Amino acid sequence: MESLLQHFRKDEQQFIEQVSGWIIDVEDRYSPKLTDFLDPRERFIVQAVLGSSDVLMAASGMFEGAERQRVLLYPSYYEPQPEDFQITMFELKYPVRFVTLKHPDILGSLMSIGLGRGKFGDIRIEGERIQFAVAQEVSSYLQTNFVSAAKVKVQLNPVADQAAYITAIDEWTEESFTVSSMRLDTVISSVYNISRQKAASLIHAGKVRVNWTVQENPSFELHESDLISSRGYGRIKVGMIEGRTKKDKIRLQIGRLDTNK
């Protein structure tokens, strides 16, 4: 475990220990274990902790290409089925003529009724349509308690037909960069072609999120599978670290999505 921990951040150690507990549970019980919704970085950690274990991993967020997905850890004899992920898809009905609901409105309303972020997955909006995936175990609670968003009344309707799910229109492009370090300000500066000073200003102003959490430390060290969102600049995903150049700079793959969010 110690050799594994040294490759990850200190604030991720508790999650790594939790994952190790899940794996032991699957091995001892010889039966599947279902997690809450995990972000890409968390799923990367699960895969790393699994290593050469006999325990296998599958994931689903219902939406095609979902960022947040539930993970099923299972012994080799088991064949995962779609229903094993226990996810309910809801579509939101609301007075579209009087209000325009945005992603923060839905996210804030879900959190305000006491749901942890791990209990719901992606929130997708297409015109007036809004859909989101939730853990099946809280679906009844949601239908009873999620009755308003941005001060308007809403209603949740389950979506049974997978063909009716909103399809993501985001298109990521892969690019290669050479950076002097994996510091947050250094990577943002290189990817968006702005000065380190401007990158640091964005970070200090609370306009940069790493894995959906505001990060105000410019020297924060990035790792593979981190997702960075910079207000006004879009989102980037840290891909594979390909190695170092002769001048000891880091060759880095970046997935880039230019959207103003």
Side-chain angles (χ1 to χ4, degrees):
M1 176 64 75
E2 288 300 323
S3 60
L4 178 67
L5 290 176
Q6 68 182 357
H7 296 291
F8 295 92
R9 306 182 186 107
K10 287 186 178 180
D11 61 0
E12 293 174 330
Q13 291 183 5
Q14 184 176 355
F15 179 69
I16 291 169
E17 291 169 358
Q18 185 178 26
V19 173
S20 297
W22 294 339
I23 294 170
I24 292 170
D25 195 39
V26 173
E27 292 173 334
D28 289 348
R29 296 174 179 269
Y30 211 53
S31 60
K33 167 72 177 179
L34 181 65
T35 75
D36 283 344
F37 287 93
L38 305 181
D39 63 42
R41 175 66 182 172
E42 290 170 327
R43 296 198 303 277
F44 175 82
I45 291 173
V46 173
Q47 191 69 68
V49 178
L50 279 174
S52 58
S53 165
D54 291 333
V55 176
L56 303 176
M57 166 185 169
S60 173
M62 296 293 274
F63 288 118
E64 182 180 352
E67 285 185 349
R68 301 186 66 88
Q69 301 181 23
R70 298 193 87 170
V71 167
L72 187 74
L73 300 174
Y74 60 96
S76 56
Y77 79 89
Y78 193 80
E79 294 186 6
Q81 302 299 316
E83 56 269 22
D84 289 334
F85 295 97
Q86 300 178 27
I87 301 173
T88 301
M89 185 71 74
F90 282 120
E91 183 152 342
L92 199 67
K93 296 298 181 184
Y94 64 101
V96 297
R97 286 189 291 180
F98 303 107
V99 67
T100 299
L101 293 178
K102 298 181 179 180
H103 190 283
D105 299 323
I106 310 305
L107 179 61
S109 297
L110 287 167
M111 301 289 282
S112 72
I113 61 172
L115 278 190
R117 188 62 184 93
K119 292 302 179 184
F120 54 96
D122 286 10
I123 300 168
R124 289 194 177 174
I125 300 176
E126 182 181 69
E128 297 172 347
R129 297 178 66 206
I130 300 173
Q131 294 177 350
F132 54 88
V134 303
Q136 202 172 84
E137 61 266 26
V138 299
S139 58
S140 295
Y141 174 83
L142 260 182
Q143 285 185 294
T144 301
N145 294 279
F146 187 37
V147 294
S148 67
K151 299 182 180 179
V152 298
K153 290 185 178 180
V154 300
Q155 180 181 333
L156 294 181
N157 293 334
V159 183
D161 184 4
Q162 192 169 349
Y165 294 172
I166 293 174
T167 303
I169 57 174
D170 294 342
E171 292 188 4
W172 294 85
T173 56
E174 296 292 330
E175 301 179 47
S176 295
F177 290 88
T178 301
V179 295
S180 58
S181 77
M182 292 299 292
R183 282 174 53 118
L184 179 58
D185 59 350
T186 300
V187 173
I188 287 178
S189 172
S190 297
V191 174
Y192 293 120
N193 195 27
I194 59 177
S195 68
R196 280 272 297 277
Q197 183 178 6
K198 185 167 184 179
S201 295
L202 286 171
I203 296 164
H204 285 308
K207 295 182 179 180
V208 176
R209 292 175 180 265
V210 179
N211 299 327
W212 294 273
T213 300
V214 173
Q215 178 54 251
E216 297 182 352
N217 181 7
S219 64
F220 182 82
E221 191 81 3
L222 294 172
H223 289 218
E224 289 180 345
S225 297
D226 279 337
L227 180 71
I228 301 101
S229 174
S230 305
R231 195 181 308 166
Y233 289 89
R235 289 185 290 170
I236 58 176
K237 288 189 290 190
V238 179
M240 185 184 301
I241 298 173
E242 299 177 323
R244 290 183 177 269
T245 68
K246 291 181 179 179
K247 294 184 178 180
D248 205 33
K249 291 195 173 183
I250 301 166
R251 290 195 301 269
L252 185 64
Q253 283 186 357
I254 291 287
R256 183 167 175 172
L257 177 68
D258 289 318
T259 56
N260 292 323
K261 288 193 174 182

